[in-house]
Structures are given as C-alpha cells and as structure tokens.
Amino acid sequence: MKSLPAKILLFVLFGLLVVGCNSVKRVPKNKKLLNKNEFFVNDKKQNSEDLENLMYQKPNSDLLGYKLRLNLYNLANPNPDSTYRAKFIRNPKKYERLAKILSKKQVNRLGKSFYYFGFHEMLKRVGEAPVIVDTINIRKSRLRLKGHYFNKGFFNAKISSKIDTLPNKKAKVTYTIHTGKAYLLDSLTQQISTPILDSMFQATKEKSLLVSGKQFNGQDFDAEKARVASLYRNNGIYHFQANYIKYDIDTVDTGHKANSNMIIDDYSYRENDTTKTMPFKQYRISEVNIYTDATGSKIKPTINDSVTYNGYNLYATEKLKYRPKAITDAVFVSKGNLFSDIRTTVTSRYLSNLRVFNYPSIQYEVDTRDTIGNSLIANIYLVPRKKYSFGYSLDVTHSNIQDFGIQGTTSFTIRNVFNGAETLEIAARGNIGSSTSFANPNDTFFNVSEYGADMKLSFPRIVFPLKTEKIIPKNMIPVTTLSLGYAKQQNIGLDKENFTGAFSYNWNPKRFYSARFDLFNIQYVKNLFPENYFRVYSSSYGALNDIAQQYAAGNPEYFSGDNLEPEQGTLAFINDALNNNAFPLTPNQTRTVRSIEERRKRLTENNLIFASSFSYSRTTKTDLQDNTFYTFRTKVESAGNFLALVARLSKQLENQNGNNTIFDIEYSQYLKGEFEYIKHWDLSRKKVLAMRAFAGIAVPYGNSNSIPFSRSYFAGGSNDNRGWQSYSLGPGSSGGINDFNEANMKLAYSTELRFNLFGDLHSAVFVDVGNIWNVFDNIEDERYTFNGLHSLRDIAVGSGFGLRYDFNFFVVRLDIGFKTYDPAVTNGSRWFKDYNFGNSVLNIGINYPF
C-alpha cells in the first residue's frame, strides 16, 4: 500500500462505497426497508436462527454490521439504457458528432458496453436488492411459524405480527407467538393389515422413536416412519415403501394429549385398469445372475460363456475374463437370503470400488417359477471399464517450498491385471517452479524442478498368507496396495533422490470410518550435493561467517575473498574450532558452531526409514453440502525396529558414531503419534465456523538421536499458523533463525469464521495458535525444547483475514496473517509487537486449510 496508485485506488473504492452508503436509496416512496425481524415467544424475546430462517423476508445481509451487498446494488444505475439515451436527447449534436466518427449502429451498441451497461448489471448481480416490507410475505411467514410450532406439539399456537416504523424509511417486523400448552403423546396403537408386518413391528417395538409421555414432535414421526420402512425393506418386504405408513392423530377432548394410531394397509398394485390389494409378502433370493460384460441394464446380453460358483451364475457375451471369486466376493446379495436394501447398497459400493466396472445396476424380478410367489431373482449388470486407459493433467501448484509451480502428470492404467479385478497404475510426473527460499544465481523465474515416476498395484482384498476374514470381513471393503516410487529434485535444498516403497491395507470398519495399516513403508533419501549445504542454508552460513570474521578473517585456508569459502573453508574452520581448539571462542560461540555442525550433519546425511504405521479416522460429513460435521484422525508410526532385528541377527557392526547401519546407511529409529480433530458449525446464511486441533510427537530412540527431516514437523504457512511463513516459526522461542526450522513435537489450533461476500466470493477472519519444539532428542538449548507446561508460553498466535473465490471444483484462497503474539520477542510485550501490514504474511492456498 506504499505506492501512489494503490492509495488512489483505495481512495476511489472507499469513495464509491460511501456514495452507495445510503441504504434506502432504492426504496420506493411510501415503502419501508426491512431492518429487522423480532420474535417474542410467550412474552420473552427470542431471536434464534431457526425462527429467522422460517421468514419469507429476511433483512439484507451484512458484513460485520455493514450492508455491503445492498450498498453495491445501490451504486448501480437502475435504468442505464434510459440514462444513455437521455444523454443524447439533451445534447443531439453530441450524438451527431459520435455518429460521424463511428456510426449510428455503433453508437447505439455503445449503450450496451460494459462502461454504460455491463458495469451496472454486474453491480446488481453481485449486490442485493433492498428487502421491502410486504404484508403478503408477512402473512406467509405467520403461517410458517404456525406450522413450525404445530410440528413441535403446540397445536393451538397463536401468531400475530406488527410493523414498527423506524426513522429513515426503515421498519422492523415483530412476531408475537403464544404457544399455548404442548400436547404429549399418550396412547400409541398400530393397525397393520399384513400379519407378518405386524409381527416384525411388535418384535422391534422397544426401538420405536415414539414414546408415550414425550412431547409431540413431527420429526419423531418422520424418523419412526424411516425406521419402520428400513426394518421391512431389510427383511424381505420387497414391495414396501414409506408412503404406506400413515398416522391418525386424535386430539379431540383428550386434555392436551395426542393419541397416535399407525396405519399400514395391504400392498396395492395395478393389474390392467384395476387396482388390487393383497398382503405384503416376504421375499427370499432364489437366484443371483451376474452379467460381467453388459452394455447397460435395459436388455440382457447374449450369453456365450457362463459359470456357476458358490451359488452365483456368472455370464459373459465372450469368454469370461474374471476369476469368479474376485467378483462374487464383492456381492452380498446371495441365494437363500432375505431381500435387503443394505445388502444391495453394500454390493454396489464394493463393485464400484473394484474400479474395473462403471457403477453397477442391481435389479430384482419376481421368480415366476416359485408357485408360492415368495422368491426374487437378482440381476446384476456390470459394464466393464476399458482395460487400458491413459490420462494426463496439468496443474498450477503452491506448496511450502514453491511459491508458484506447474506440474504435469501422465498416467497409464491397466485393469483386471491378473483376472482378479486388480488395477495397475503407472505414472510419470514433472514439476517446474519458482521459489524464493533457495539461491538463484542466474535470476531465473523457474529455478526449481522435480521429476519422478510411481507404480501402484491394487488388490480388492486382503493379501496375506493367513485368513483374515474374521478380523476384516469383506463387507469392510478391504484393499491391499503395493506401491513404488522414485523422485529427483533439482535446485531444491541439497537436491535429493527419493526412493519409496509401501505395502498397505485399507478398509472401512463402518460407514464414515476408515482404517489403514502400512505393513512397511520404506523411504530412502539420498542427498546429491551435500557440499552445497552452506550455499543453501544461508542463515547458518551467515552466523558461522560472522564468528570466523572475528578470528580468521582473510586466512586463505578458510576464506575466499572477504568471506568463508562455502565448501571446504567452512568445514575446515568448524573442525579447527571444535576439535583443535584453534580459536579462543566464547562459550556462546562454541555452542553456536557446534549447533551449526550438528544441524549440517543431520541435514546432509542420507536417510533410510523402514516404518510401519496404523491410521484411523472418522467423519460425520455426509456430503459436500454438509457444513455441520466433525472429523478426527489418529496415527501411530514405528520405524527402525525391523532393521534393528536384522542388524542384531546379522551381527552388524556399529559405525564410528556407535550406530548400526544397513548398506552403510544409518537407519532411523523412532516412535511417532499424531491426533487431529476438525469441527464445522453451520451458522446459516452461508456462515460457517470451523476449527482444527492438532498434536504430534516423534521420539527417537535406539539407533537415532534425532528425527529425519522428512518426518519432522514445521510451523507457519498457508495451512498452519498464517502469521508466519512456512518453516519460519519456532522451535519454541528461538525466533526461527534457521532457513528451515523443524522439530519433533507440534501443537496447533486454528479457528476461522467463513462468510459470503457476494456470488462466489467469500471471506474469513481467523486465529491460529501453535508452535513446534524439540523434545527427547539431541537438542539441549532451552529456547528450542519443551520443558513442561511453562513452555506453553511459547505458543505463537497469528490472526488475520482472507478472501476465497469458489470455482466449484476448487477454491483459490488469499489470507493475510499478522503476528499477534510472537514468542521470539525478548524485549517488551510479545503481544501486537509487529501487528501491521509491513510485517504481515500473504498466504496463497488452494482450497480451505481445514
């Protein structure tokens, strides 16, 4: 905001909003702008969101009390066409001059240009027309309120309304509600015509959601109707639908009691032009036919190959391409079982998860061979996806390392690899990006790159030598995955080669639950240019160079010109300073040099990680539109134990550091645990309150005294504490003095209020708290370490605001974070020390942070 154009633009925007601040500018004469709805329930004021949402008319939306959208609408010219024509009516000569320069047709079309017409239409579209008090809509709102309270058991509720005139052409509407005495459920009877339905209901009557003595509530009746319909449709009553359930409620002379009679008539159906009835039948599955290469569900395909396996009939138009067990394991509709909606749904989900078919079609028909007529034939139509498919994508990326990047991916997929519905995916990826975090001597925009390849083989079952059906049954939809990967980075840190391999099991214990067990997850990280350490980590180089200047300035053994030679000179100075006592360093300088050397060794050593982990998560989010839900995730990971056993059995000798090695590489050994909890509350009118809590710790032991960089924690960035840049916060109160600050313990909590501005543009205000610390490792500096509850005073607080634009398939996010409480401040108050735009952090992200 320091440039003159930016200040002028801000002044102009502020001026336009001030001009539009007359909120009644577009309110017609003798009309009133709805300023507020008020509710008095039994003489007590009650302004709840539930009641406000029932209103046909709601006041114009506001942003922290300011009616932004209304004022934007007021800025628009209501009749831009008339205004444009009136300009030439008042000055005909002007029209003639323009017509000579352009043409009459072009002058007329100019009236439809963005300047004269489109700008005002845009303001109307993103703005919000004034809500004018209307007596018809008030009457409709009273009826809604009456229905609302009726459904809660207040059958005699009285609703009245009053319009109160306010100054400046505004008004508020007050609704007065006298609920009267609530009706309580009394007798609960049933009139079920079909005996088998009556027996099933009576057997589960204790589970009824309607309880005598409880206040009448229409939602309870809806829930009970859904329960009963589910009971029947999952126990063989194929023709039953919820609309067969009716309730007769008697409240005449009952003394504010409601007597309920549930009525379920017999099954009715049409035969020619006649409607007939008969008792509902309980159906069992007599036959299951699976058409493995159907082209749709309308016409049964021609059969040229078939097999019967475990009571299932599998058909194919050509030769059967799948092992029968691979398909039948995914089918839960089986011969002899009662018809069940749940079995149908789980079968559809499992068959879809095989990823070799399009969404399946499961249809039932009455088996005419059954003389009693109690049997169903299940026909499952599977439309195969292409065996071979090729895909590609091009994405714009942003990460903790790259400020801007372009990533391209190509993939090749082979389905049904071993005729057991397996899927093999092979992908190659490349990325070029721009980063200000690394040295860029040639001053090129795209100064970092990465490329790699991945392979993933998925089995739609548990692959294990022993039977696991009792532990993880097939209705949990288990998947076994074997994956391999390779990636190479250039101009990112020390440049790395990353080899990965994993063998994992995934399953869903229940709906909305998921579990994953990595039997092994191997990662080998090889630093290609460790000699570049002091060229990349400039803060460590700067601190070391300052110390060397005091004791060895100009010494050609260490220096190249005026500064330390970054490869051999730095190492020689460190060795002489720590091992040969060549310089009279102060105790603080000795600690600094030793800390720099320990960090260099740790970040330049190659890492071998052989880990096993278990993850478990649950969510209550039902769909993309659900804004009231919670999600929790927990993970436990253990690394190095298997390699420690191998080293012990092979009598592996220790290296000079006293640690065991595999292939001359010190393997990592640690135990890690994480917990994350996310909660969203829908506040209505496109307002959502969201929060996230995270805790994680990784403890090295055995062969390690520190955690590998790739498994450690960092703080700051667009998805963390937004008052600090990525890797710039912590550890503890150290002040983020290193280039990439990380540690092995993390606590974080974030909350933000999200709201709509207009159209697809949204905003948010947020608060982020948290930090990272070193604990149980080789770091001893108290500024870095967590030493008990008093270390919680080093939790940093960031706050700010942001804009988000929703493109439907992704959200672009811009957040501005301010350092609200900075634990690195040693002098003066830590609160609001650098709370200004000059020290703010602009965070760019894709999608919401949590």
Side-chain angles (χ1 to χ4, degrees):
M1 291 296 182
K2 295 182 179 181
S3 64
L4 183 60
K7 291 182 178 179
I8 293 174
L9 179 62
L10 182 62
F11 180 78
V12 170
L13 290 174
F14 179 75
L16 287 173
L17 289 176
V18 168
V19 170
C21 272
N22 180 9
S23 59
V24 296
K25 183 178 180 180
R26 303 299 181 198
V27 176
K29 187 178 180 180
N30 299 324
K31 298 292 183 179
K32 302 293 182 182
L33 177 72
L34 179 60
N35 188 62
K36 188 179 183 181
N37 288 319
E38 276 191 346
F39 305 93
F40 286 87
V41 181
N42 297 328
D43 300 323
K44 292 183 179 179
K45 190 174 182 180
Q46 183 177 325
N47 289 334
S48 69
E49 289 286 345
D50 290 340
L51 297 181
E52 184 69 40
N53 289 335
L54 293 171
M55 297 296 97
Y56 271 88
Q57 285 191 304
K58 304 179 184 68
N60 289 99
S61 61
D62 64 83
L63 174 61
L64 302 177
Y66 177 72
K67 297 186 182 298
L68 174 64
R69 294 187 65 186
L70 173 60
N71 288 312
L72 286 173
Y73 183 91
N74 289 340
L75 282 173
N77 185 337
N79 300 298
D81 287 335
S82 300
T83 303
Y84 182 73
R85 289 193 298 269
K87 179 172 66 172
F88 296 121
I89 292 173
R90 291 193 303 268
N91 191 350
K93 292 183 179 180
K94 185 175 183 179
Y95 178 82
E96 293 173 2
R97 288 195 300 270
L98 274 175
K100 290 179 180 179
I101 298 172
L102 301 172
S103 70
K104 289 184 178 181
K105 186 176 180 180
Q106 288 177 321
V107 173
N108 292 333
R109 288 174 59 186
L110 190 62
K112 293 293 184 180
S113 66
F114 180 79
Y115 178 79
Y116 288 105
F117 183 82
F119 175 71
H120 299 283
E121 290 301 306
M122 181 193 71
L123 288 176
K124 291 178 185 178
R125 187 171 61 254
V126 301
E128 193 176 72
V131 179
I132 307 301
V133 174
D134 180 73
T135 55
I136 295 176
N137 284 322
I138 291 174
R139 184 165 64 251
K140 291 180 179 179
S141 295
R142 290 202 306 266
L143 291 174
R144 273 191 177 176
L145 286 171
K146 189 170 183 64
H148 171 74
Y149 282 98
F150 187 94
N151 279 329
K152 288 184 174 295
F154 299 103
F155 297 154
N156 302 318
K158 306 295 183 184
I159 317 291
S160 62
S161 60
K162 183 180 66 171
I163 300 174
D164 295 318
T165 301
L166 302 175
N168 194 23
K169 298 174 69 175
K170 297 179 182 179
K172 72 175 181 179
V173 180
T174 302
Y175 295 90
T176 303
I177 302 141
H178 292 285
T179 63
K181 189 175 180 180
Y183 279 73
L184 305 181
L185 292 177
D186 191 17
S187 67
L188 303 172
T189 59
Q190 299 81 38
Q191 185 180 327
I192 304 175
S193 300
T194 303
I196 190 171
L197 266 60
D198 186 54
S199 299
M200 291 169 61
F201 178 85
Q202 298 303 330
T204 60
K205 194 173 182 178
E206 71 281 357
K207 297 180 181 179
S208 175
L209 301 174
L210 302 179
V211 180
S212 181
K214 186 179 179 181
Q215 183 173 325
F216 180 96
N217 191 321
Q219 291 182 349
D220 290 340
F221 281 83
D222 292 337
E224 176 67 2
K225 181 183 288 190
R227 184 192 75 85
V228 173
S230 177
L231 169 69
Y232 293 152
R233 287 196 56 85
N234 286 302
N235 284 277
I237 313 303
Y238 171 64
H239 289 118
F240 192 85
Q241 300 294 333
N243 57 13
Y244 277 99
I245 305 173
K246 301 179 180 61
Y247 291 99
D248 182 16
I249 309 297
D250 179 19
T251 60
V252 178
D253 299 327
T254 59
H256 290 90
K257 293 182 179 179
N259 299 317
S260 169
N261 183 31
M262 182 177 72
I263 303 171
I264 301 178
D265 293 326
D266 282 338
Y267 172 54
S268 63
Y269 60 98
R270 290 189 65 84
E271 188 175 283
N272 298 324
D273 294 331
T274 306
T275 299
K276 296 185 177 182
T277 62
M278 69 175 183
F280 282 96
K281 292 182 179 181
Q282 189 177 43
Y283 288 90
R284 290 187 179 273
I285 307 300
S286 61
E287 186 176 299
V288 181
N289 300 318
I290 305 172
Y291 299 92
T292 61
D293 52 3
T295 56
S297 59
K298 300 288 185 180
I299 303 174
K300 291 183 180 179
T302 303
I303 306 302
N304 290 311
D305 191 14
S306 65
V307 66
T308 298
Y309 179 81
N310 282 351
Y312 295 95
N313 302 319
L314 289 85
Y315 299 106
T317 57
E318 299 176 1
K319 186 175 176 58
L320 190 64
K321 301 176 182 177
Y322 309 91
R323 289 203 307 272
K325 188 177 188 305
I327 304 299
T328 59
D329 275 356
V331 178
F332 296 85
V333 179
S334 55
K335 187 176 180 179
N337 284 344
L338 291 172
F339 164 80
S340 170
D341 274 345
I342 291 177
R343 289 179 178 272
T344 304
T345 301
V346 174
T347 299
S348 293
R349 286 177 54 207
Y350 202 131
L351 287 169
S352 297
N353 274 23
L354 293 180
R355 298 175 59 198
V356 294
F357 302 109
N358 293 324
Y359 195 80
S361 174
I362 303 177
Q363 300 180 3
Y364 295 91
E365 61 183 57
V366 176
D367 190 347
T368 56
R369 297 169 300 181
D370 183 0
T371 56
I372 303 176
N374 288 351
S375 299
L376 290 176
I377 298 175
N379 295 311
I380 302 175
Y381 299 94
L382 304 178
V383 180
R385 301 172 70 178
K386 292 181 178 179
K387 184 175 180 67
Y388 304 102
S389 64
F390 178 80
Y392 61 90
S393 65
L394 187 66
D395 299 307
V396 176
T397 61
H398 169 80
S399 69
N400 302 316
I401 299 296
Q402 295 184 43
D403 303 309
F404 174 81
I406 299 176
Q407 177 174 293
T409 304
T410 60
S411 62
F412 180 62
T413 302
I414 306 175
R415 297 180 178 87
N416 197 34
V417 181
F418 307 117
N419 295 331
E422 304 86 0
T423 303
L424 176 64
E425 298 172 85
I426 302 172
R429 50 190 165 83
N431 178 84
I432 56 173
S434 175
S435 175
T436 57
S437 302
F438 303 106
N440 189 9
N442 298 324
D443 196 27
T444 56
F445 180 74
F446 290 112
N447 60 325
V448 298
S449 64
E450 180 177 0
Y451 61 87
D454 301 286
M455 184 279 291
K456 184 170 74 171
L457 179 61
S458 299
F459 301 85
R461 54 192 171 275
I462 295 293
V463 178
F464 196 73
L466 304 177
K467 290 185 177 181
T468 60
E469 179 70 22
K470 291 184 178 180
I471 303 173
I472 306 175
K474 68 176 186 177
N475 62 349
M476 292 185 180
I477 314 181
V479 176
T480 303
T481 303
L482 172 65
S483 60
L484 299 172
Y486 168 79
K488 184 175 182 179
Q489 298 175 343
Q490 292 182 322
N491 296 329
I492 301 178
L494 305 176
D495 292 2
K496 300 178 186 296
E497 284 186 327
N498 195 347
F499 301 87
T500 58
F503 191 84
S504 61
Y505 303 104
N506 295 270
W507 67 96
N508 302 110
K510 297 178 183 178
R511 191 182 181 193
F512 304 125
Y513 290 76
S514 63
R516 172 174 174 147
F517 174 61
D518 283 4
L519 185 62
F520 64 80
N521 190 318
I522 305 172
Q523 182 180 28
Y524 171 56
V525 180
K526 180 181 180 181
N527 291 300
L528 301 180
F529 301 107
E531 64 273 13
N532 286 346
Y533 178 83
F534 285 109
R535 298 184 190 275
V536 173
Y537 295 89
S538 56
S539 61
S540 295
Y541 174 78
L544 186 65
N545 189 53
D546 289 342
I547 295 174
Q549 293 280 3
Q550 298 180 35
Y551 301 102
N555 188 331
E557 186 178 350
Y558 314 113
F559 279 74
S560 174
D562 297 329
N563 296 296
L564 273 174
E565 197 281 320
E567 293 184 15
Q568 299 302 321
T570 51
L571 300 181
F573 178 79
I574 290 173
N575 181 64
D576 289 346
L578 297 180
N579 300 325
N580 299 329
N581 297 319
F583 310 108
L585 303 182
T586 67
N588 282 338
Q589 289 174 333
T590 300
R591 280 196 298 270
T592 299
V593 175
R594 182 175 291 111
S595 175
I596 290 172
E597 175 61 2
E598 289 175 352
R599 182 172 174 80
R600 183 195 69 81
K601 286 183 176 179
R602 176 167 171 261
L603 296 183
T604 57
E605 68 182 3
N606 298 329
N607 295 130
L608 177 61
I609 304 170
F610 194 112
S612 297
S613 65
F614 177 74
S615 304
Y616 189 79
S617 65
R618 182 181 187 244
T619 183
T620 60
K621 189 177 179 69
T622 55
D623 54 55
L624 292 175
Q625 306 303 319
D626 187 1
N627 286 321
T628 298
F629 68 92
Y630 73 83
T631 298
F632 83 83
R633 180 185 65 86
T634 185
K635 180 179 181 180
V636 178
E637 179 178 318
S638 176
N641 294 328
F642 177 77
L643 295 184
L645 178 63
V646 172
R648 189 178 300 115
L649 293 176
S650 62
K651 299 181 180 180
Q652 176 72 50
L653 297 177
E654 296 178 346
N655 63 7
Q656 60 183 359
N657 297 325
N659 294 329
N660 291 322
T661 62
I662 298 291
F663 306 121
D664 295 326
I665 304 170
E666 291 185 14
Y667 57 85
S668 300
Q669 196 168 8
Y670 61 84
L671 183 65
K672 185 177 184 180
E674 295 179 349
F675 178 84
E676 182 180 47
Y677 181 79
I678 296 173
K679 174 70 176 175
H680 286 205
W681 292 269
D682 191 339
L683 304 181
S684 77
R685 304 194 74 175
K686 297 184 178 181
K687 295 187 182 73
V688 175
L689 180 64
M691 61 80 67
R692 172 183 179 261
F694 177 87
I697 185 172
V699 180
Y701 67 95
N703 212 51
S704 299
N705 58 12
S706 63
I707 300 299
F709 185 87
S710 61
R711 294 293 204 267
S712 60
Y713 298 109
F714 71 92
S718 60
N719 294 325
D720 197 70
N721 197 320
R722 286 162 279 188
W724 282 260
Q725 293 179 343
S726 299
Y727 293 97
S728 66
L729 172 60
S733 61
S734 64
I737 59 177
N738 295 314
D739 298 276
F740 297 94
N741 299 278
E742 40 78 37
N744 63 326
M745 175 181 170
K746 180 174 182 176
L747 295 175
Y749 177 85
S750 296
T751 184
E752 64 179 32
L753 177 63
R754 301 166 184 168
F755 48 88
N756 177 257
L757 293 178
F758 48 79
D760 293 324
L761 184 63
H762 304 262
S763 185
V765 291
F766 58 83
V767 175
D768 302 320
V769 301
N771 206 336
I772 55 174
W773 293 268
N774 289 96
V775 61
F776 303 127
D777 62 1
N778 58 354
I779 302 299
E780 298 178 356
D781 191 326
E782 290 191 357
R783 296 175 303 164
Y784 291 73
T785 57
F786 188 88
N787 300 303
L789 293 179
H790 68 275
S791 294
L792 295 178
R793 66 189 176 189
D794 295 333
I795 286 182
V797 180
S799 60
F801 61 91
L803 295 175
R804 291 87 189 273
Y805 192 86
D806 190 348
F807 286 95
N808 292 325
F809 49 93
F810 70 93
V811 175
V812 173
R813 175 166 51 93
L814 299 176
D815 290 332
I816 297 179
F818 301 90
K819 295 176 179 62
T820 309
Y821 177 87
D822 189 351
V825 174
T826 55
N827 298 319
S829 175
R830 292 178 170 183
W831 288 98
F832 303 103
K833 186 74 171 180
D834 295 316
Y835 203 89
N836 51 61
F837 278 98
N839 291 289
S840 65
V841 176
L842 175 63
N843 298 275
I844 302 174
I846 304 297
N847 295 325
Y848 290 104
F850 49 87

